[in-house]
Amino acid sequence: MTKVTLTVNGRAMTGECDDRTLLVHFIRDRLGLTGTHVGCDTTQCGACVVHLDGRSVKSCSILAVQASGSTVTTIEGIAAQGELHPVQAAFNQHHGLQCGFCTPGMVMTAIDMIGRHGGTLDEATVRLELDGNICRCTGYHNIVKAVLAADAAMHAEQRAAAE
């Protein structure tokens, strides 16, 4: 067993695991944060996306011991003071979810995407960047609408704060 220490959603957390334990399983099984979903364990579906040191990653592709010392943000850590994150709010408003299984990974991917593109997202870019996230329910149309709406809202907030 190896000791793994992470800062998860702003809190220092430590647990022990086997050297071959995937980060997704460590987050769910050792830390009890079950919002990060296990879909495939092969990086195919994107249900396990978290932010590792500020970038979205598929947590089924990283060993927990590799992530030790890093900062991890899961879906549980993005809402602020009980308010939905703007991406969560947009998914709700634009019906970007149905069964909800892919939603945490989609939301985490969208937050990273919006942060990297700085208000310049278009439908083609969103569709391209969501390519590694599988949704079997929605057909992606409302997910794309939600990401674009969140992008507009988040950058409007940034412009208003700058004025």
Side-chain angles (χ1 to χ4, degrees):
M1 298 295 267
T2 301
K3 182 178 173 181
V4 174
T5 301
L6 301 166
T7 300
V8 181
N9 301 329
R11 294 182 39 219
M13 299 183 139
T14 301
E16 289 189 347
C17 65
D18 190 67
D19 288 343
R20 64 179 182 234
T21 301
L22 295 172
L23 181 58
V24 66
H25 295 297
F26 185 79
I27 290 168
R28 290 180 59 82
D29 302 339
R30 297 290 189 267
L31 304 181
L33 298 170
T34 57
T36 302
H37 293 160
V38 178
C40 66
D41 279 341
T42 60
T43 75
Q44 301 287 320
C45 73
C48 67
V49 172
V50 299
H51 293 172
L52 180 67
D53 294 327
R55 298 193 56 106
S56 65
V57 298
K58 293 179 178 179
S59 60
C60 75
S61 68
I62 297 168
L63 297 171
V65 296
Q66 289 175 296
S68 193
S70 295
T71 299
V72 176
T73 304
T74 68
I75 192 73
E76 292 92 344
I78 63 169
Q81 292 114 25
E83 293 286 322
L84 291 177
H85 185 281
V87 174
Q88 290 173 306
F91 267 67
N92 184 38
Q93 181 182 9
H94 294 278
H95 310 289
L97 55 106
Q98 284 184 9
C99 81
F101 189 80
C102 72
T103 305
M106 290 283 189
V107 167
M108 298 306 286
T109 298
I111 291 169
D112 181 66
M113 181 190 325
I114 291 166
R116 285 184 292 103
H117 286 278
T120 62
L121 282 176
D122 57 31
E123 182 178 342
T125 303
V126 172
R127 288 185 181 279
L128 179 67
E129 293 223 9
L130 288 177
D131 186 46
N133 293 68
I134 295 175
C135 176
R136 299 189 190 280
C137 299
T138 68
Y140 299 92
H141 182 70
N142 289 343
I143 292 171
V144 172
K145 283 183 4 185
V147 173
L148 292 171
D151 179 54
M154 289 171 70
H155 287 93
E157 285 179 17
Q158 288 175 349
R159 284 189 296 275
E163 293 175 350

